[in-house]
Amino acid sequence: MREDWMQPILDEAKFHGLERTARAYPEGGGKIKIDGKEVLNFSSNDYLDLAHHRHVMDCSREALDRYGIGSTASRLVTGTLPIHEELEARLAKEKGYPAALVFGSGYMANAGTIPVLVGRDDTVFADKLVHASMIDACKLSGAKLVRFAHNDVQALGKRLEQFPAAGSRQLIITESVFSMDGDIAPLKEIAALAEKHGAMLMVDEAHASGTFGPNGAGLIREHGLEDSVTVSMGTMSKAFAGYGGFVACSSTLRKLLVNSARAFIYTTAPPPAVIGAALGIMDVLEASPRLGAILQANADYFRSLLHAAELDTMQSASQIIPIAIGDNEKAVAVSKKLRDQGIIAAAIRPPTVPAGSARLRLSVTLAHHVDDLERAAKLIIRAVRN
Ligand SMILES: Cc1ncc(COP(=O)(O)O)c(C=O)c1O
């Protein structure tokens, strides 16, 4: 076995307080039981508390009963089921685009789409903080990758001028709600720059889908930017509480993706129970269009409690609320202390976030009631101060 190079890498990570482990939890969601004790989980992406929603589970079960456990083939062979098409039609309608395409995960939606939009002769302009799946996709595409300062429209404008299209394609990529900072991109201004330069624009709405906009359709829809955003990407793994990713786009781009997105073509179609659950979520979002607004009001309240104690929540303006700590080991120590007190608040460290910016990343969900938020705020404030 030629594995002698592995342990030193792990030792080094441990030395820097960066060793990672995947701990098993008895269940998911914002409020869980561990060893019979109720714990508030601020590290779940089940923002709308829908993972155990009865209608969603029924829809998932119905799909399972009707189609079995798997789609049994890739989409272009015999894996496309009527429910895949139904989900795509509903996603397109809700997102305000002519078409949508479902992928196996959000990661795959990004990994599949970006290399179709750009290739070796082209340039991608990426916000400094875009998710790893977008960066991996850029590398896969072979395009020149130009980063611009986070949410800085002027910096983006300068970059676009510095690296003109000159006959090739330009693609701007950003998130609408940033996954680790919880802040919001200036989408209108970015869209205007994209228009000015004739660049394509792709926005990852992983954390805005379900949580912002009409029926949870996201921020592109809220601002009426569908015509200037080439690709609206989303995932069924956050507020949708399940699994799978998607893009909403023009019919032409959908056709092109079906023909050339490798992460769409060379993989098995998502399983029926997962697609059924996503359809159930869309029913819930349609029937209860204010869920996102309630979530944001609760998050505002929680942030105000933390601000009152002068904790630094960075530029958060969503259900994702970081608390800046800085030092990796301190972030882990605070997270451990809170865990002992029944609060799960994951410490997020480099390389997920830039060096020196370790933080607690808190996600408010609809499982957290006002008294939960007040209790959690008190414990968090004490743990961070000590
Ligand atoms: C901004 C962003 N994009 C994409 C993804 C990938 O989505 P998924 O977990 O569905 O693969 C995530 C989450 O991991 C994310 O936070």
Side-chain angles (χ1 to χ4, degrees), residues 105-107 110 131 133 175 179 204 206-207 233 235 237-238 244:
S105 70
Y107 187 103
N110 281 334
H131 191 256
S133 56
E175 292 173 32
S179 63
D204 180 328
H207 297 275
M233 176 271 174
T235 169
S237 65
K238 317 292 182 202

Side-chain angles (χ1 to χ4, degrees), residues 19-20 23 86 113 128 143 145 171 195 225 280 326 342 351 377 381 383:
E19 190 187 34
R20 293 158 179 247
R23 179 199 287 262
E86 185 187 342
T113 302
K128 265 256 160 70
L145 178 59
L171 168 68
E195 296 272 357
L225 293 171
I381 291 162

Side-chain angles (χ1 to χ4, degrees), residues 5 83 101 111 129 143 145 200 216 252 283 303 348:
W5 56 274
I83 48 174
L101 189 68
L129 296 189
L145 178 59
M200 296 176 287
T252 309
D283 293 342
R303 230 181 344 260
I348 308 287

